[in-house]
Amino acid sequence: TGFCYVAWAGLKLLGSSHLVSQSARITETQPPVTNLSVSVENLCTVIWTWNPPEGASPNCSLWYFSHFGDKQDKKLAPETRRSKEVPLNEKICLQVGSQCSTNESEKPSILVEKCISPPEGDPESAVTELQCIWHNLSYMKCSWLPGRNTSPDTNYTLYYWHRSLEKIRQCEEIYKEGQYFGCSFDLTKVKDSSFEQHSVQIMVKDYAGKIKPSFNIVPLTSRVKPDPPHIKNLSFHNGDLHVQWENPQNFISRCLFYEVEVNNSQTETHNVFSVQEAKCQNPEFERNVENTSCFMVPGVLPDTLNTVRIRVKTNKLCYEDDKLWSNWSQEMSIGKKRNSTLYITMLLIVPVIIAGAIIVLLLYLKRLKIIIFPPIPDPGKIFKEMFGDQNDDTLHWKKYDIYEKQTKEETDSVVLIENLKKASQ
C-alpha cells in the first residue's frame, strides 16, 4: 500500500542474494532456491518469498529449510514463503535451502540469504522505553521517552495495527505526563477465541521525519492490567468476615488472582490474603450473581472497625504476564467505631486534672517547707537594734518591717491552705 512505501522510506533491502557455502556433503544436494526477496507488510510483518530451484530432480518432492541469521526458529516446510512479526529496530536475515525429504539429517542445498535493515536515521533520535499496557481488555495505553538527539518541540505520532483491522490506524490522542509521552487507543476484546493469540504492532515516529522510527510488538496475552474490583457486601458469621465483590468487566474469575487486605483500627493490624479461587459457595453469600467472587477472612473481631480493600491481576492460566496489579478498590468498612466524643473529652480533661494536681502539690510542698524550716531571726540585726547607731533607726525599722511582712505573708499562706482543706472536708 501507499502507506507502507511512506512508512518504510529509506528501508535497505540488501540487493542481490548471496550464497552461504555448506560444509562437506555426504550425498548429492539440490540446487539453491532462486529469486529470494523480502518485503514488509503492515508495520512489523516481514515476508520472504522465493522460487523453486532450477534443475531440481524430477523425482524430488521439494521441501524448504529456513532459519534466521542467529540459527533460531528453524523450519522445514513445502511453502515457498515465510513471514515473521518482528520489531524492525535491528537488521534481520533469513537463510533458505531446499531438500528432497523431511528428514532433518539430510543436508539441504546451499543456503541463500536475504536481509532487511531498519529505516535510516540517527539511532540517538529514536524514542526509548516504548511500552504498551492493555487496560481491562478495553483500550491500550503506550508510553515512551524522547531520544537523546531530539528537539523538545518534536510532534510525535503513533501508528498501530492488529489482525482485526483492515488497515493501519493512527493514534490521535498524544499526551505528555512528566518526562513521558503517550497515546491511548481503543482495543476491545472480540468474541473470536484466537484474538488474544495475536499481537499489536506499534510504530512511533514524528511528522517531520527527523527521528528514526521505533517499533514494538505487544502480545495480547501479556501486559494486561485489569480494572479494580468493586466490593459489594461485607458481613460477619461465626467469627469470620465474609467479603463479596464484583470482578472487573471482560474477565472471568478463573483467569484472575486476588489480594484481600483487612485493616483493624483498634489493634492496628494489617493483613493481606492471597486468593486464587474465590467461589461463592457458602449460603451466607448472595448467590446467582454474575461475575462475582467471595472470600472468608478468619478470626476477625466484629466489635472493632475493619476496613477492606481488594486488588486483582491476571494469572498464568489464561495469560503469559502475571505482574501487573490493578489499582486498589475503594475501601469498605464494617464493625463498631470508637466513640470519638468520649475520646476527645478525655483528651481535654486529663491535662486539666494533671495541671490542678501539680498546683496543689506545689502549695502543699510550700507549707511543709514553712513548718519544717521556720524563718530564723538574724542575731546581727537584733544586736544592731540594741547597740547600733541611733541615726540608722529609720533604716533599721524599714528592714524590720520588710522581714515582718514576709513572715506574715508566709503565715497567711499556711492559714489559707488549712482553711481550704477544712472547707473541702
Side-chain angles (χ1 to χ4, degrees):
T1 63
F3 179 88
C4 292
Y5 287 112
V6 173
W8 288 97
L11 186 67
K12 290 184 178 179
L13 300 179
L14 302 185
S16 58
S17 305
H18 61 278
L19 303 181
V20 182
S21 60
Q22 293 289 314
S23 56
R25 303 175 181 81
I26 300 176
T27 60
E28 184 177 356
T29 58
Q30 294 297 316
V33 300
T34 59
N35 298 328
L36 176 61
S37 62
V38 62
S39 61
V40 177
E41 290 185 358
N42 309 313
L43 293 173
C44 302
T45 305
V46 185
I47 300 176
W48 287 267
T49 59
W50 59 87
N51 293 333
E54 296 178 354
S57 172
N59 297 326
C60 176
S61 178
L62 286 173
W63 287 72
Y64 301 98
F65 172 81
S66 63
H67 66 76
F68 294 98
D70 51 6
K71 294 186 179 181
Q72 293 182 353
D73 296 333
K74 295 181 180 180
K75 184 178 180 181
L76 186 62
E79 293 83 13
T80 58
R81 74 187 303 273
R82 185 170 181 181
S83 63
K84 182 181 178 71
E85 278 191 327
V86 55
L88 286 169
N89 299 315
E90 297 180 354
K91 177 180 176 181
I92 182 172
C93 302
L94 181 73
Q95 296 181 356
V96 184
S98 62
Q99 61 187 58
C100 285
S101 70
T102 59
N103 188 359
E104 295 184 359
S105 62
E106 180 181 343
K107 292 293 182 180
S109 69
I110 295 175
L111 298 181
V112 180
E113 184 181 70
K114 194 72 172 181
C115 300
I116 187 170
S117 297
E120 294 182 346
D122 181 8
E124 296 294 326
S125 67
V127 302
T128 60
E129 297 187 25
L130 175 57
Q131 56 182 350
C132 301
I133 297 176
W134 195 10
H135 287 264
N136 209 54
L137 308 182
S138 299
Y139 68 96
M140 182 163 283
K141 183 177 180 180
C142 300
S143 61
W144 62 87
L145 284 174
R148 294 182 179 178
N149 297 342
T150 306
S151 173
D153 59 350
T154 300
N155 291 323
Y156 295 98
T157 179
L158 182 145
Y159 297 95
Y160 64 94
W161 179 88
H162 54 82
R163 293 187 183 182
S164 298
L165 297 178
E166 297 180 356
K167 61 179 182 180
I168 296 171
R169 298 281 183 88
Q170 179 180 351
C171 185
E172 303 290 344
E173 300 178 2
I174 301 291
Y175 60 88
K176 186 177 182 182
E177 291 182 352
Q179 296 182 347
Y180 284 84
F181 288 84
C183 192
S184 301
F185 55 88
D186 291 336
L187 183 62
T188 305
K189 178 182 177 181
V190 298
K191 294 182 179 180
D192 181 9
S193 60
S194 64
F195 177 74
E196 293 182 358
Q197 304 302 320
H198 301 164
S199 300
V200 179
Q201 300 178 7
I202 304 291
M203 179 180 71
V204 177
K205 53 183 295 187
D206 66 325
Y207 283 106
K210 295 181 180 180
I211 70 171
K212 184 177 181 180
S214 184
F215 301 86
N216 194 9
I217 295 178
V218 185
L220 294 181
T221 55
S222 65
R223 307 297 294 171
V224 177
K225 182 178 180 179
D227 283 347
H230 172 68
I231 302 177
K232 297 189 63 178
N233 185 35
L234 298 177
S235 61
F236 288 109
H237 185 73
N238 294 334
D240 297 331
L241 174 60
H242 292 199
V243 185
Q244 187 172 18
W245 65 88
E246 183 178 355
N247 292 318
Q249 294 182 354
N250 304 325
F251 292 92
I252 55 178
S253 59
R254 68 180 181 88
C255 294
L256 297 174
F257 182 85
Y258 310 90
E259 273 192 356
V260 179
E261 180 186 271
V262 181
N263 293 306
N264 188 288
S265 61
Q266 181 173 339
T267 60
E268 296 183 354
T269 55
H270 170 84
N271 297 315
V272 178
F273 301 88
S274 299
V275 184
Q276 292 183 346
E277 294 185 5
K279 297 181 180 180
C280 300
Q281 296 178 342
N282 292 60
E284 292 77 16
F285 291 126
E286 185 179 356
R287 294 189 175 185
N288 301 324
V289 179
E290 186 179 359
N291 201 29
T292 60
S293 298
C294 305
F295 180 67
M296 289 191 304
V297 182
V300 179
L301 301 175
D303 56 346
T304 58
L305 182 64
N306 297 277
T307 303
V308 180
R309 64 176 185 171
I310 307 171
R311 67 176 181 172
V312 63
K313 68 176 180 178
T314 57
N315 60 29
K316 290 193 174 182
L317 182 63
C318 304
Y319 299 91
E320 294 180 3
D321 192 357
D322 63 345
K323 298 178 181 178
L324 286 177
W325 285 100
S326 72
N327 297 330
W328 285 103
S329 67
Q330 290 187 350
E331 296 179 347
M332 181 177 285
S333 300
I334 188 174
K336 296 181 180 179
K337 296 183 179 180
R338 178 181 293 178
N339 191 335
S340 58
T341 303
L342 178 61
Y343 178 76
I344 295 174
T345 304
M346 293 298 296
L347 199 63
L348 296 175
I349 292 178
V350 169
V352 175
I353 295 175
I354 294 176
I358 292 175
I359 294 173
V360 173
L361 179 62
L362 291 176
L363 294 175
Y364 182 73
L365 291 176
K366 188 173 183 180
R367 177 191 174 193
L368 288 178
K369 178 181 177 183
I370 295 173
I371 295 174
I372 298 175
F373 303 104
I376 301 174
D378 187 0
K381 292 182 179 180
I382 297 174
F383 286 109
K384 187 176 182 180
E385 181 181 339
M386 295 175 63
F387 305 106
D389 190 358
Q390 297 300 322
N391 294 331
D392 296 336
D393 184 66
T394 303
L395 180 62
H396 164 75
W397 283 109
K398 287 183 179 179
K399 291 182 179 179
Y400 186 80
D401 288 344
I402 294 173
Y403 169 77
E404 185 178 10
K405 183 178 180 181
Q406 180 179 0
T407 305
K408 186 176 183 304
E409 288 178 352
E410 293 177 352
T411 306
D412 290 343
S413 298
V414 173
V415 172
L416 176 61
I417 294 174
E418 291 178 350
N419 291 337
L420 291 174
K421 185 174 180 182
K422 292 178 179 180
S424 62
Q425 294 177 351

